[in-house]
Amino acid sequence: MAETPPKAPTPPKAPTHPKAPTPPKAPTPPAPPRGYTASKDELQKRLARIEGQVRGVSKMVAEDRYCIDVLTQIAAIEAALDKVALGLLDDHARVCVLGGETGEREQRTEEMMAAVGRLLRRG
Amino acid sequence: MAETPPKAPTPPKAPTHPKAPTPPKAPTPPAPPRGYTASKDELQKRLARIEGQVRGVSKMVAEDRYCIDVLTQIAAIEAALDKVALGLLDDHARVCVLGGETGEREQRTEEMMAAVGRLLRRG
Amino acid sequence: MAETPPKAPTPPKAPTHPKAPTPPKAPTPPAPPRGYTASKDELQKRLARIEGQVRGVSKMVAEDRYCIDVLTQIAAIEAALDKVALGLLDDHARVCVLGGETGEREQRTEEMMAAVGRLLRRG
Amino acid sequence: MAETPPKAPTPPKAPTHPKAPTPPKAPTPPAPPRGYTASKDELQKRLARIEGQVRGVSKMVAEDRYCIDVLTQIAAIEAALDKVALGLLDDHARVCVLGGETGEREQRTEEMMAAVGRLLRRG
């Protein structure tokens, strides 16, 4: 890899006026880490691909493609969505449930089970 | 219902020049009618909505929204896709199978059943 | 097991009067052929096997087997049921829909689509 | 395949002392509690009902009942099985995962997710 040139010294930061302190604004709380934080990029790539697949189905319809071929594409989109969903569930189980405080685990497990029910179409 | 006023006579159309006939262009064969031809507009509206839902999920992930809420949206997208698929199947059964030539019905039924198997995730 | 006492001879049936013939009773109409008539034996074998699988799950529970192993068996039963259902749908489409009178096809297609919706858990 | 060499004669077993009575053998360990232990009776009642439903479908076939009615019953059985499966998953999550030793939780979560995948028919 190319050597990086020596860095110019960072300029000293402008001193904050001691007399006019900015009021301590309520800091917007940082988004809490989510189960999928570690795999966020990968997740968004997949969702972009799924969006493209849906657009593709719309194009197939515009071109009067054969119904059965359209249906095959829809089944493929559902498979891709299920894969995303299973990944999210797994992340949730590991990070939000197992990694949660003792007091939170119970509720997060309950929410997870309700989500499984909806994915099974029994929600 | 209110009476419609007598219509103004439609103005005569501008005559097309008799001397410059448009050359007979090789006709692109008309797309064969598909099962969904009658409901094509409605179908595309639904697909556009589903595309927006997928984009919405991507935005939720960008905003670090709670896993379970993301999963709920994915389940909703799958429900919408299933509804589209059931509509396409129904159109196919009526138009392509029942409305097909005797010789085509057998094969189209077979294709339809394979499509149902894929939607049931047993394909 | 207790011995069964010797049976008393069955009394002779009252002779039917040769002169008063029973009026020809309206024959119970034979069951109409169903889509699955040709594969009825095979179908019942499969159902018997599925019944045995359900009994097997009950036995696993009685023996306190690991939850996950019980769930694996349940998923296997659902796969077997889906296979039976896809076979019945296929038979229905060929025999009852395609083989039906023109006037019946429309309604049987509608019923078939409703059945697909229920199998997709969207009914 | 290589020939197996002639086996050396098995050495005579050490004689058990006639006078030393066999020590009371360690009792077979009781089955570990399972996620569903608390609801075992209820679970078995449900499974017995499902078994009866499968038998009912077989009877419908024997009586040449209409394909669509048979399919409706199959969909009902699958709904009942899904309900049992969701209950087992929930029990597993609470008892075996949350209630497990720290070292076991990871693996049990993994197994649970694999089970969800199979129920979603993506296993």
Side-chain angles (χ1 to χ4, degrees), chain A residues 34 36 65-66 111 121, chain B residues 36 64-66 111 121:
Chain A
R34 296 306 186 186
Y36 54 79
R65 297 277 293 278
Y66 187 37
E111 292 168 343
R121 303 159 187 198
Chain B
Y36 54 79
D64 294 305
R65 296 276 293 279
Y66 187 38
E111 292 168 343
R121 302 159 189 200

Side-chain angles (χ1 to χ4, degrees), chain A:
Chain A
M1 202 179 274
E3 259 180 69
T4 49
K7 276 203 226 161
T10 47
K13 287 203 180 167
T16 48
H17 270 282
K19 277 167 193 165
T22 46
K25 63 168 172 176
T28 49
R34 296 306 186 186
Y36 54 79
T37 298
S39 56
K40 199 167 153 174
D41 284 356
E42 175 58 25
L43 184 53
Q44 290 198 297
K45 258 184 232 167
R46 282 195 194 181
L47 287 166
R49 219 174 300 139
I50 290 170
E51 201 191 314
Q53 282 177 293
V54 177
R55 210 158 29 233
V57 168
S58 195
K59 195 155 161 275
M60 288 176 85
V61 168
E63 291 168 355
D64 295 305
R65 297 277 293 278
Y66 187 37
C67 325
I68 297 298
D69 296 334
V70 179
L71 283 165
T72 300
Q73 276 309 302
I74 291 177
I77 295 173
E78 295 193 328
L81 283 169
D82 274 340
K83 213 171 160 189
V84 166
L86 284 168
L88 283 168
L89 269 181
D90 190 68
D91 292 336
H92 179 74
R94 285 173 207 284
V95 179
C96 307
V97 178
L98 292 189
E101 307 284 317
T102 309
E104 299 166 330
R105 285 181 188 158
E106 192 81 11
Q107 198 203 329
R108 289 182 178 174
T109 296
E110 201 172 305
E111 292 168 343
M112 180 173 69
M113 286 303 138
V116 171
R118 284 189 293 271
L119 289 172
L120 273 182
R121 303 159 187 198
R122 304 293 187 194

Side-chain angles (χ1 to χ4, degrees), chain D residues 82-103:
Chain D
D82 273 341
K83 212 170 160 191
V84 166
L86 285 167
L88 282 169
L89 269 181
D90 192 67
D91 291 335
H92 178 74
R94 285 172 208 283
V95 179
C96 306
V97 178
L98 293 189
E101 306 284 317
T102 310

Side-chain angles (χ1 to χ4, degrees), chain C residues 34 36 65-66 111 121, chain D residues 36 64-66 111 121:
Chain C
R34 297 304 186 187
Y36 53 78
R65 297 277 293 278
Y66 188 36
E111 292 168 342
R121 301 156 189 203
Chain D
Y36 53 80
D64 295 304
R65 297 277 294 277
Y66 187 37
E111 292 168 342
R121 302 159 189 200

Side-chain angles (χ1 to χ4, degrees), chain C residues 29-107:
Chain C
R34 297 304 186 187
Y36 53 78
T37 298
S39 56
K40 200 167 152 176
D41 284 355
E42 175 59 25
L43 184 54
Q44 290 198 297
K45 259 184 233 166
R46 283 195 192 181
L47 288 167
R49 220 174 298 138
I50 290 170
E51 202 191 313
Q53 283 177 292
V54 177
R55 213 162 23 234
V57 168
S58 194
K59 193 155 162 275
M60 289 175 84
V61 168
E63 292 168 355
D64 295 304
R65 297 277 293 278
Y66 188 36
C67 324
I68 298 297
D69 295 334
V70 179
L71 283 165
T72 300
Q73 275 310 303
I74 291 179
I77 295 173
E78 294 193 329
L81 282 169
D82 273 340
K83 213 172 159 189
V84 166
L86 285 167
L88 282 169
L89 268 181
D90 191 67
D91 292 335
H92 179 73
R94 284 172 209 285
V95 179
C96 306
V97 179
L98 293 190
E101 306 284 316
T102 310
E104 300 166 328
R105 286 181 187 157
E106 193 81 11
Q107 199 204 328

